[in-house]
């Protein structure tokens, strides 16, 4: 018994301090615990994860330096191509961030059980614009599917940027140029809309309102700016035949669709349905904008809101855009859903001569 105790004490002494110390006990436990099998993973996982992070950080830094050198080379050697390349890369980044924001909005709608009409103005407008961008980007997305097709996309950016690419891939100069081009197409159709409206007014059943609408169309054709009160006074005419949205002539509906940047190449039933849906969407945006307040909108947001509603705001200031939007909201937020035809025609009547009056 004494011999065994001595052997134990001797073993602990060889391990380090005496058997009563914590270090000696921990070393003794280490001898008694089973050792991991040969080839099994070792415990220091923290050191492995830290090492992998440092490797990834170093790799990302190296890629960033190489990419920076490549961009400087392009900027010095091929300046025109560099503008396209920089626009494309920035557009991809902006589109990726936009997709993330849209996912957040969709998640918010799902969790809080909100409809689109219940969203704040900026989120509602973001969803509308993103949907239009996605529809326009479908052809270029199909072209970019095959391997190495990115070079073809860049070529298309150079030759057909306005027709095929969305706003993320336009340069600042192109944005102004293309908005002016779209507005020129839209303004060429404004006289047709006013002429169709004047022709339809001839068959109205109420003589007094008929005369008032004909005078209003004549004033607009002469270059006068209509007042909101004048448009609101004839609102009852746009709920039934012949000025209701379901009763308008097909040529009138096609002209209104093109004014709102909607395709006119659809059967009449789908044209009317899509036009009504688009106009009511703008009406919901108007009410959300009124709740937010025009004073909360930035210059870019004010210009985009005016442009959507028919006014070319690319060369207007903030005060002019705000004044026109106040006039527009004064009419839009008073109208009912059944008066969508008046809202669509008012976009033309209120914006046709606005810039002309400012010149």
């Amino acid at each position: 018994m004494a011999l065994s105790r001595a052997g134990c004490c001797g073993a602990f002494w060889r391990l380090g301090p005496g058997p009563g110390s914590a270090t000696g006990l921990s070393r003794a436990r280490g001898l008694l615990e089973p050792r991991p099998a040969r080839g099994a993973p070792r415990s220091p996982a923290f050191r492995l994860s830290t090492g992998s992070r440092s490797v990834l950080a170093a790799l990302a830094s190296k890629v960033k330096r190489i990419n920076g050198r490549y961009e400087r080379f392009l900027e010095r050697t091929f300046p025109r191509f560099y503008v396209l390349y920089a626009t494309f890369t920035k557009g991809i980044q902006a589109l990726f961030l936009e997709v993330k924001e849209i996912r957040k909005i969709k998640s918010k709608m799902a969790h809080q059980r909100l409809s689109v009409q219940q969203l704040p103005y900026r989120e509602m407008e973001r969803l509308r614009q993103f949907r239009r961008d996605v529809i326009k980007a479908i052809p270029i997305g199909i072209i970019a599917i095959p391997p190495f097709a990115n070079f073809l996309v860049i070529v298309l950016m150079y030759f057909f940027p306005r027709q095929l690419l969305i706003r993320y891939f336009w340069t600042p100069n192109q944005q102004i140029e293309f908005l002016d081009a779209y507005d020129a197409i839209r303004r060429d159709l404004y006289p047709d809309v006013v002429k169709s409206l004047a022709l339809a007014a001839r068959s109205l059943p109420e003589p007094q309102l008929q005369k008032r609408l004909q005078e209003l169309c004549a004033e607009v054709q002469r270059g006068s700016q209509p007042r909101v009160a004048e448009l609101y006074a004839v609102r009852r005419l746009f709920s039934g035949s012949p000025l209701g949205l379901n009763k308008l002539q097909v040529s009138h509906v096609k002209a209104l669709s093109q004014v709102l940047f909607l395709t006119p190449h659809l059967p009449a039933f789908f044209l009317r349905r899509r036009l009504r849906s688009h106009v009511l969407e703008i009406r919901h945006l108007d009410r959300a904008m009124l709740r937010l307040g025009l004073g909360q909108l930035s210059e870019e947001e004010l210009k985009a809101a005016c442009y959507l509603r028919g006014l070319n705001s690319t060369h207007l200031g903030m005060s002019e855009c705000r004044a026109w939007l106040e006039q527009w909201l004064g009419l839009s937020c008073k109208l009912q859903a059944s008066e969508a035809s008046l809202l669509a025609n008012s976009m033309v009547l209120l914006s046709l001569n606005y810039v002309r009056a400012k010149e």
Side-chain angles (χ1 to χ4, degrees):
M1 185 69 177
L3 192 60
S4 61
R5 288 180 183 175
C8 290
C9 290
F12 283 123
W13 181 82
R14 284 193 295 269
L15 288 173
S21 68
T23 308
L25 288 174
S26 62
R27 292 185 178 179
R29 290 193 192 101
L31 288 176
L32 296 175
E33 289 176 355
R35 294 187 178 180
R38 190 174 292 179
R42 298 199 173 232
S43 59
F46 178 78
R47 281 183 290 178
L48 288 176
S49 62
T50 304
S52 62
R53 288 176 188 173
S54 61
V55 169
L56 289 176
L59 183 61
S61 178
K62 188 173 183 179
V63 169
K64 189 175 180 179
R65 286 198 302 270
I66 294 173
N67 190 55
R69 292 176 184 174
Y70 175 64
E71 290 182 353
R72 288 191 292 272
F73 168 76
L74 287 179
E75 189 175 9
R76 290 193 307 268
T77 312
F78 307 103
R80 292 185 179 180
F81 179 79
Y82 172 74
V83 172
L84 294 177
Y85 171 81
T87 303
F88 180 75
T89 52
K90 290 178 181 177
I92 289 291
Q93 294 172 0
L95 184 59
F96 178 74
L97 293 176
E98 188 70 11
V99 169
K100 289 178 65 177
E101 291 298 323
I102 294 299
R103 289 181 63 184
K104 289 181 181 178
I105 296 173
K106 291 286 188 181
S107 177
K108 171 185 172 181
M109 292 174 62
H111 287 135
Q112 301 182 15
R113 297 182 180 180
L114 299 175
S115 63
V116 177
Q117 292 78 19
Q118 294 174 310
L119 291 174
Y121 170 74
R122 289 188 174 94
E123 294 181 357
M124 196 187 303
E125 170 62 18
R126 210 161 196 168
L127 285 176
R128 185 201 67 83
Q129 185 61 53
F130 184 76
R131 185 174 65 251
R132 291 182 67 88
D133 288 340
V134 168
I135 293 173
K136 186 177 180 181
I138 287 175
I140 204 71
I142 294 174
I143 294 173
I145 289 175
F148 306 105
N150 290 337
F151 296 102
L152 179 59
V153 173
I154 293 176
V155 172
L156 291 174
M157 284 179 63
Y158 185 79
F159 289 104
F160 308 103
R162 180 169 65 87
Q163 293 81 359
L164 294 177
L165 299 180
I166 59 179
R167 56 196 172 97
Y168 296 104
F169 304 104
W170 293 350
T171 64
N173 292 333
Q174 284 178 333
Q175 290 183 12
I176 298 175
E177 177 187 348
F178 295 163
L179 289 178
D180 285 340
Y182 281 127
D183 186 70
I185 297 172
R186 176 169 62 183
R187 289 177 67 84
D188 288 341
L189 296 162
Y190 281 180
D192 295 337
V193 173
V194 179
K195 183 179 179 181
S196 298
L197 194 58
L199 289 174
R202 296 178 182 177
S203 57
L204 290 171
E206 301 182 40
Q208 186 177 0
L209 291 178
Q210 173 188 352
K211 182 180 178 181
R212 185 176 297 182
L213 182 58
Q214 286 178 327
E215 290 175 352
L216 182 61
C217 291
E219 290 176 3
V220 171
Q221 288 172 330
R222 288 194 297 267
S224 177
Q225 184 69 24
R227 295 190 301 272
V228 169
E230 293 175 326
L231 294 171
Y232 189 71
V234 297
R235 67 188 185 281
R236 287 193 293 115
L237 300 176
F238 291 84
S239 298
S241 181
L243 291 177
L245 198 55
N246 294 330
K247 303 296 182 179
L248 288 178
Q249 295 292 325
V250 177
S251 59
H252 194 167
V253 176
K254 286 186 176 181
L256 285 173
S257 298
Q258 289 179 285
V259 162
L260 297 175
F261 304 125
L262 303 174
T263 178
H265 308 296
L266 290 173
F269 171 77
F270 293 105
L271 276 177
R272 299 178 197 276
R273 185 173 180 179
R274 191 177 184 194
L275 180 60
R276 177 184 175 83
S277 175
H278 185 75
V279 170
L280 292 181
E281 184 179 38
I282 293 177
R283 178 170 165 268
H284 290 309
L285 283 167
D286 291 340
R287 298 192 172 191
M289 185 192 300
L290 193 64
R291 290 194 299 268
L292 176 65
L294 292 178
Q296 302 298 320
L297 299 180
S298 64
E299 182 177 4
E300 183 180 356
E301 289 172 330
L302 285 170
K303 289 188 174 185
C306 289
Y307 195 90
L308 172 64
R309 290 154 181 81
L311 177 67
N312 185 10
S313 53
T314 54
H315 306 288
L316 297 179
M318 284 187 66
S319 58
E320 292 172 311
C321 291
R322 188 179 290 112
W324 189 88
L325 278 176
E326 287 175 354
Q327 186 181 18
W328 169 262
L329 293 177
L331 176 66
S332 171
C333 295
K334 292 180 181 179
L335 300 180
Q336 304 298 321
S338 59
E339 297 162 337
S341 178
L342 175 58
L343 195 62
N345 284 281
S346 297
M347 293 185 191
V348 175
L349 297 174
L350 287 175
S351 59
L352 176 60
N353 299 299
Y354 184 82
V355 177
R356 188 185 305 169
K358 294 291 181 181
E359 291 175 353

